[in-house]
């Protein structure tokens, strides 16, 4: 057995091997030691290898999913090795023969399909990264070249069949990976030899799996893709570049490798071009807390705040849309039309949501069935999903004249519902079914008369025997006739010796079996046949049920594309209804979206903070306007104000309003007019990156550099406290220069928050820059934050008041006040606004030449003429008096 284990393990050296032994999966050697630490289970030993004890640990098969989930969460890959023959067959080959075993599945973070291992509301994405170097090569492992590198990402969700493709560049690779949010990223192993890419991989929030560059080979990709999809040409798929073919080939190859021959129902690859969605880099996604907060929690993130979906597929689509806001005006407007229609049709919306609540996860059930991991409950999911589709088709069909385009398309998908399949599954399946087909009892009574008979014999054998016993008793007039059973004779008829004559009279019918001291035993042909049927009924019944299951599975898989289209249409309806529900519940309005540079948000609110205040029963959120749009170029708002005044909240809320608007949602505002934002940049908050040797200030500068190098006229930029991580004048200079660059070069719509009040002087030379501030009131030595954005500038930051509120010792607060008064008195003669005279702009302000100081010149000449080594102490003292007197 250990020889077999070592042979199989050698094929999967980078995975933990779950080796099936009866009712347990056992792990040995290093795998056992690793699993023992990771799972917190006992490490034992069994036998010896090369004179050393063999470490061993194991998990029960019935509880293996729980252990798998923990290992996958920790980033491990698990090879599941099953017994692939009956132990009885192994014994026929000899007493020492080992049961044949083989790996039936390689479980990795990106390829799981079990419901209890998946989050219903989150996609489980596996991505592959391919690269073709400038000037040639075949996809991922070429020698580094100076330029022209092409990248492509293929992303699949094996649990739903989604398959998307995106081209990328070295500059936006990190942003594209963050947008796809894979749980597992498969990359060519040679890319780890390049420092820049290896450092990128180390920062990703997913498992990065290096694989041989051969699976990224673009030369054989077309042939492999055709074979996977069972087509003779890729002409119907569209045109793919070499790097795209390499990424697709790697995804398909990795799926085939992990699924050991089973084929999931992957849709044909569809492009998800970066130009079709808002460019949001990884730092901005993190800063804005779109999917999860900085602490990793979903609670408090934007997604959790807006998600009102009632189905798993709807929740996944909501997350996908939030991560991929659109840049196409028509597509955004079409989504707004859906929400507007369902907002007005409240009765229809409520009925839709009530139906959708009962909708199972069609796509994931379909995936498990296609991978031969499905069971009767997956068939039930298909049946109930089709029933939901039928109900929604009737509901929505009543409004067919008024339907917006997206809902009209969804209705057309529902009209293709395979009614015959729905009826077949309804007739086949019982109301309550087991998880596994091998457990039986999932076929509805009355569907198959032969099966019903087998069940009756198996499940009601006592009643059948009792009925036969009563029949024989009436026939022979022997009231104490009994039908009994033992392991030697099986079923037999027993009567007392006095009553045996009644049965012996009909020897053709009642066959003598055994004579006892006080009783005689008989059988009949009928009883012998019944005994055989009872003995085989359970096995035959299960065989019949398994045959029905396989038939149903085949029928379902024949409708794969239709079922996928229905599932996606239902998810779309769920999202539209959920956004309409959100708009009504929270008072959101429809934004105006066009291709201009407009940005006018009136009475805007922060969606997350607003709902949090409501839950706490606190004062309502203070709404604020933001008008930073323009005709030729965007405006810049320079936002000053006190700590705790709400600057960061104001910055973030306008970025979130853009994301909500362009994902297709209504927005938290009184009104909003937004010209499409193609790139969104956020530099908010402070964090270091110690793993890559970057301080907090270095991280800030890297992110700021990305903004200044990439932002264009259609971008939205929010910057908070640039330059605060270094010396005061260093930071002020950097913030000053960044503002100039955004105004003169980037021409983008910008919100720039700062505590450097000196920057407010730039509103004079920079015509598109406006000063705004957060208003406060002072009362009895305390500061009251009003959270209102008004025109003007702040004269103080109120940092000491905030420090007192935070609980600093009174002595520290008093000392800080004293130091602040001293510093302010020293600088009172030179107000901050005069600093502009010493820091020139591009061409807006020219520094005036300073007058020559003749006294300083003479003093310098005299000092230059002195040779200190030649002076006596007396001469040095006299010279000092002379210089002091100014002669």
């Amino acid at each position: 057995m250990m020889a077999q284990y070592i042979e199989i393990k050698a094929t999967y050296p980078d995975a933990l091997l779950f080796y099936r032994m009866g009712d347990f999966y056992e792990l040995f050697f290093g795998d056992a030691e690793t699993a023992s630490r990771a799972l917190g289970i006992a490490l034992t030993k069994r036998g010896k290898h090369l004179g050393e004890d063999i470490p061993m640990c194991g998990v029960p098969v019935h509880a293996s999913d729980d252990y798998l989930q923990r290992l996958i969460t920790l980033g491990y890959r698990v090879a599941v090795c099953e017994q692939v023959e009956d132990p009885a067959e192994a014994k026929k080959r000899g007493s020492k023969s080992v049961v044949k075993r083989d790996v039936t599945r390689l479980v990795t973070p990106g390829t799981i399909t079990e419901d209890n291992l998946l989050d219903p509301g989150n996609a489980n994405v596996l991505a592959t990264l391919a690269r073709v170097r400038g000037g040639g090569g075949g996809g991922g492992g070429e020698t580094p070249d100076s330029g022209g590198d092409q990248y492509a990402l293929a992303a699949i969700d094996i649990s739903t069949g989604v398959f998307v493709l995106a081209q990328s560049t070295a500059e936006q690779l990190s942003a594209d990976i963050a947008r796809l949010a894979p749980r597992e990223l498969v990359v060519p192993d040679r890319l780890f030899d390049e420092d820049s890419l290896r450092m990128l991989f180390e920062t990703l929030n997913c498992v990065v799996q290096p694989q041989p560059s051969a699976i990224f080979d673009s030369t054989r990709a077309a042939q492999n893709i055709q074979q996977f999809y069972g087509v003779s040409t890729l002409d119907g798929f569209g045109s793919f570049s070499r790097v795209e073919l390499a990424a697709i080939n790697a995804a398909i190859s990795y799926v085939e490798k992990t699924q050991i021959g089973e084929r999931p129902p992957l849709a044909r690859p569809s492009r998800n071009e970066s130009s079709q969605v808002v460019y949001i880099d990884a730092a901005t996604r993190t800063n804005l807390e779109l999917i999860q907060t900085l602490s990793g929690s979903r609670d408090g993130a934007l997604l959790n705040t807006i998600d009102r979906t009632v189905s798993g597929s709807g929740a996944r689509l909501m997350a996908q849309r939030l991560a991929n806001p659109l840049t196409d005006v028509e597509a955004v407007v079409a989504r707004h039309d859906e929400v507007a229609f369902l907002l007005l049709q409240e009765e229809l919306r409520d009925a839709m949501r009530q139906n959708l609540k009962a909708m199972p996860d069609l796509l994931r059930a379909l995936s498990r069935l296609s991978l031969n991991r499905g069971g009767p409950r997956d068939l039930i999911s298909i049946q109930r999903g089709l029933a939901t589709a039928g109900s929604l088709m009737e509901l929505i069909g009543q409004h067919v004249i008024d339907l917006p385009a997206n809902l009209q398309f969804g209705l057309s998908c529902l009209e293709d519902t395979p009614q015959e399949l729905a009826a077949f599954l309804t007739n086949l399946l019982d109301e309550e079914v087991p998880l596994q087909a091998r457990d039986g009892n999932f076929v509805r009574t009355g569907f198959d008369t032969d099966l019903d008979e087998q069940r009756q014999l198996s499940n009601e054998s006592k009643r059948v025997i009792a009925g036969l016993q009563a029949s024989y008793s009436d026939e022979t007039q022997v009231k104490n006739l009994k039908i009994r059973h033992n392991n030697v004779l099986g079923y037999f008829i027993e009567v007392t010796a006095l009553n045996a004559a009644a049965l012996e009279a009909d020897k053709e019918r009642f066959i003598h079996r055994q004579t006892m001291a006080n009783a005689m035993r008989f059988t009949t042909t009928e009883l012998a046949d019944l005994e055989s049927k009872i003995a085989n009924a359970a096995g035959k019944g299960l065989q019949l049920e398994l045959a029905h299951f396989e038939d149903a599975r085949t029928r379902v898989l024949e409708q794969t594309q239709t079922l996928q289209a229905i599932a996606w249409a239902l998810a779309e309806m769920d999202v539209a209804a959920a956004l309409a529900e959100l708009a009504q519940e929270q008072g959101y309005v429809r934004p105006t979206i066009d291709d201009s540079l407009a940005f006018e948000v009136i009475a805007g609110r922060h969606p997350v903070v607003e709902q949090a205040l409501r839950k706490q029963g606190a004062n309502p959120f203070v709404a604020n306007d933001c008008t930073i749009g323009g005709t030729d170029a965007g405006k810049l708002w320079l936002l000053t104000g006190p700590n705790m005044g709400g600057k960061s909240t104001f910055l973030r809320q306008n970025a979130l309003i853009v994301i909500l608007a362009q994902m297709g949602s209504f927005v938290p505002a009184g009104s909003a007019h937004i010209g499409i934002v193609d790139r969104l940049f956020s530099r908010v908050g402070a964090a270091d990156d110690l793993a890559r040797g970057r301080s907090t200030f270095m991280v800030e500068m890297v992110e700021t550099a990305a903004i200044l190098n990439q932002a264009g006229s259609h971008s939205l930029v929010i910057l908070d406290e640039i330059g605060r991580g270094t010396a005061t004048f260093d930071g002020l200079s950097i913030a000053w220069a960044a503002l100039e660059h955004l105004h003169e070069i980037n021409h983008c719509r910008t919100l720039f928050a700062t505590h450097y009040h000196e920057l407010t002087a730039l509103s004079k030379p920079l015509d598109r820059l406006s000063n705004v501030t957060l208003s406060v009131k002072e009362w009895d030595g305390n500061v009251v934050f009003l959270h209102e954005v008004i025109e003007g500038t702040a004269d103080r930051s109120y940092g000491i008041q905030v420090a007192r509120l935070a609980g600093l010792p009174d002595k520290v607060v008093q000392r800080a006040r004293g130091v602040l008064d001293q510093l302010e008195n020293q600088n009172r003669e030179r107000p901050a606004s005069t600093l502009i005279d010493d820091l020139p702009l591009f061409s807006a302000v020219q520094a005036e030449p300073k007058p020559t100081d003749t006294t300083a010149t003479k003093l310098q000449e005299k000092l230059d003429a002195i040779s200190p080594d030649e002076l006596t102490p007396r001469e040095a003292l006299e010279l000092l008096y002379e210089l002091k007197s100014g002669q």
Side-chain angles (χ1 to χ4, degrees), residues 149-181:
D149 294 350
Q150 298 178 2
Y151 293 87
L153 288 158
I156 63 175
D157 185 343
I158 195 175
S159 70
T160 61
V162 173
F163 197 157
V164 297
L165 189 66
Q167 289 212 47
S168 188
T169 64
E171 292 74 21
Q172 67 182 49
L173 189 57
S174 174
D176 286 336
I177 294 174
R179 175 166 58 88
L180 296 172

Side-chain angles (χ1 to χ4, degrees), residues 460-471 483:
E460 304 179 27
S461 57
K462 289 184 178 179
R463 188 179 66 80
V464 173
I465 292 295
L468 190 60
Q469 176 179 295
S471 174
I483 295 180

